[in-house]
Amino acid sequence: MDTRDLLPVDRPLECDPETFIRKIVMASTDFKSDDIAQQRHVIPALVPPLRLKPILSHRYIELWAKASKWVSEAAHIVVVGYSFNSADEHFNDILRNHSDRRIDIIAPEAATPAFRDRMEKVFRTSADQYTPIQINGLDGFQAKKIRLIGAKATDVDIAELFAKT
């Protein structure tokens, strides 16, 4: 789409691709005129979970640059509810390049062995180097300046995490 808008698909697992193309894509396309300026072109692009996602517009390049700048200026980073999926390698890379900062990661599964294995890929710190700790009464693990807190966001006093910086 020439606006580069991302349009979410409601209930994607229930979406029939043929119906979606017919009702959404084709309904937004018009080639009736020979004059290209009068035509409407919709260019659908599905962005599946990939290691390298395409940068869809200048706006996204600016947002990623701004995010990287904020992370580089932060002394303490708190990440809440993010799974560190390998499909989000761009954001993972931003954090990886600033792993000298204090990083608290809060997610219900953060204290699990599978999550520590994922952190090994993100931060290049062996999963067996994380040691058990208690953080504000919650179970967690720490390796270097990275703390994994197994909790929901509502269970953590984030201000208290920053107060102990």
Side-chain angles (χ1 to χ4, degrees):
M1 291 159 233
D2 66 352
T3 62
R4 307 271 178 174
D5 287 338
L6 295 177
L7 302 176
V9 176
D10 290 336
R11 298 186 306 274
L13 296 177
E14 300 170 20
C15 179
D16 173 47
E18 181 182 348
T19 303
F20 178 77
I21 290 170
R22 193 174 352 89
K23 289 188 173 182
I24 304 298
V25 176
M26 290 177 64
S28 301
T29 305
D30 182 357
F31 296 103
K32 293 176 187 161
S33 174
D34 289 334
D35 180 5
I36 292 176
Q38 299 298 315
Q39 296 176 0
R40 287 179 51 205
H41 304 102
V42 173
I43 304 168
L46 300 176
V47 184
L50 299 172
R51 276 193 164 274
L52 295 172
K53 291 184 181 179
I55 301 298
L56 300 175
S57 71
H58 183 69
R59 181 178 66 164
Y60 289 102
I61 293 170
E62 288 177 346
L63 283 172
W64 282 120
K66 193 179 291 187
S68 183
K69 183 176 186 294
W70 289 338
V71 169
S72 72
E73 294 172 349
H76 185 171
I77 301 160
V78 176
V79 180
V80 180
Y82 175 61
S83 68
F84 289 88
N85 191 303
S86 61
D88 298 316
E89 192 55 31
H90 197 91
F91 183 71
N92 295 348
D93 193 49
I94 289 172
L95 287 177
R96 180 182 305 115
N97 289 329
H98 301 293
S99 60
D100 59 330
R101 309 300 193 278
R102 188 163 164 204
I103 301 175
D104 286 331
I105 299 167
I106 301 164
E109 70 279 7
T112 66
F115 199 87
R116 287 193 304 279
D117 288 342
R118 201 172 318 143
M119 295 300 93
E120 182 173 348
K121 293 174 185 166
V122 174
F123 294 109
R124 298 184 180 113
T125 299
S126 177
D128 62 6
Q129 290 187 12
Y130 284 88
T131 56
I133 58 171
Q134 284 279 304
I135 306 159
N136 299 342
L138 300 165
D139 291 332
F141 288 86
Q142 182 169 347
K144 301 175 186 173
K145 293 186 174 187
I146 300 165
R147 299 190 307 177
L148 310 177
I149 304 167
K152 295 179 182 176
T154 54
D155 297 335
V156 179
D157 183 346
I158 294 177
E160 192 173 322
L161 293 177
F162 281 109
K164 295 181 180 183
T165 299

